[in-house]
Amino acid sequence: MGTMSHGNVAVEFEDRILSHLQIVIVQRFRRSEPLVISWLDSLAVGDGRSSMWMTPALPVYFKFAGSRVPEIDRKWLQQLIDSAESSPGLIVTSPTGELVRALGSVQVR
């Protein structure tokens, strides 16, 4: 389980998901493009969903639990890239298109 932190929010996802999100987000930030990212909340914080506005003006930090870099699924990566470029923004989904539930999230102050 890894963590993505941006501004005052930290969200936990499985390392494989986080690796794919890192590529999508870094590509956007390299082009100075902000984005909104949405996911299903961890059951520990409620059964809702959350969205976060991400801007390259703030640092983003990725912390992975494992030392091994997961294999990148190119088809899945393209699905996430296409999602990030859509009006609703980047919706975190699995390779099969199912919504992904965060493993945890916290608001850091």
Side-chain angles (χ1 to χ4, degrees):
M1 169 172 65
T3 305
M4 174 180 65
S5 302
H6 186 70
N8 63 346
V9 178
V11 185
E12 297 172 339
F13 291 104
E14 293 176 357
D15 277 2
R16 183 167 183 249
I17 295 166
L18 196 58
S19 292
H20 287 75
L21 293 177
Q22 179 185 32
I23 293 169
V24 174
I25 293 165
V26 168
Q27 282 182 354
R28 297 281 302 218
F29 282 10
R30 282 184 177 160
R31 296 188 304 259
S32 298
E33 297 174 352
L35 73 150
V36 66
I37 180 171
S38 302
W39 62 88
L40 292 177
D41 288 329
S42 163
L43 293 175
V45 297
D47 193 22
R49 62 184 180 85
S50 293
S51 294
M52 175 172 55
W53 178 252
M54 298 185 73
T55 174
L58 293 176
V60 61
Y61 176 73
F62 299 93
K63 171 67 175 142
F64 297 90
S67 59
R68 180 184 75 75
V69 177
E71 184 176 332
I72 299 303
D73 179 329
R74 295 291 172 190
K75 183 178 175 186
W76 183 22
L77 182 61
Q78 189 59 54
Q79 290 171 341
L80 293 170
I81 289 169
D82 292 345
S83 176
E85 293 174 357
S86 70
S87 294
L90 175 55
I91 305 212
V92 183
T93 57
S94 70
T96 59
E98 297 173 36
L99 296 175
V100 168
R101 187 170 298 281
L103 301 175
S105 60
V106 293
Q107 187 167 355
V108 182
R109 295 203 182 235

